[in-house]
Amino acid sequence: QVQLVESGGGLVQPGGSLRLSCVPSGSIFNPNVMGWYRQAPGKQRELVATVTTDGSTNYVDSVKGRFTISRDNAKNTVYLQMNSLKLEDTAGYYCNVREDRYPFRNIWGQGTQVTVSS
């Protein structure tokens, strides 16, 4: 019954910024790894960034230095700060959470659209 509620997407000009949020509506158990994926039309879904409980992060090369992933462990909320946005960043962005104990759910957000256009 848990849902991941995403917000923060929208239309922005190149060079602009957006901040995505992913907030659970129910209980999540041991969400060690939280992350953001994106998928543009005609392209495969790719992993953009991940963050662990202890704060370790990983980024796809194309967003390094521009995007920052973070989390609030008390709220089980994950964020993606996107700066210096490029046309190539246009995609649907999806939050993902994996539980490390029963019921071992792999939970996806509904997606939020990010469109970078001049």
Side-chain angles (χ1 to χ4, degrees):
Q1 294 181 337
V2 66
Q3 297 183 74
L4 300 178
V5 181
E6 301 181 22
S7 62
L11 176 64
V12 65
Q13 294 184 345
S17 298
L18 288 172
R19 182 174 180 265
L20 306 184
S21 298
C22 176
V23 182
S25 64
S27 297
I28 299 177
F29 305 99
N30 284 37
N32 186 46
V33 181
M34 309 179 79
W36 291 91
Y37 289 74
R38 68 184 180 186
Q39 187 168 26
K43 296 185 177 180
Q44 295 182 338
R45 182 170 296 190
E46 68 172 346
L47 181 60
V48 178
T50 61
V51 59
T52 61
T53 303
D54 64 3
S56 297
T57 58
N58 291 101
Y59 300 90
V60 66
D61 286 344
S62 60
V63 309
K64 289 180 178 178
R66 300 188 298 118
F67 291 11
T68 302
I69 188 171
S70 61
R71 63 190 285 168
D72 184 334
N73 290 332
K75 299 179 179 180
N76 281 332
T77 298
V78 62
Y79 308 93
L80 186 67
Q81 178 67 46
M82 303 183 293
N83 298 326
S84 302
L85 283 162
K86 303 177 180 179
L87 298 179
E88 308 90 85
D89 296 318
T90 296
Y93 284 71
Y94 299 85
C95 177
N96 177 253
V97 177
R98 294 181 182 270
E99 294 178 318
D100 287 343
R101 75 161 179 85
Y102 183 87
F104 301 107
R105 294 173 294 185
N106 184 22
I107 308 167
W108 290 91
Q110 83 284 355
T112 185
Q113 179 66 34
V114 172
T115 301
V116 185
S117 177
S118 60

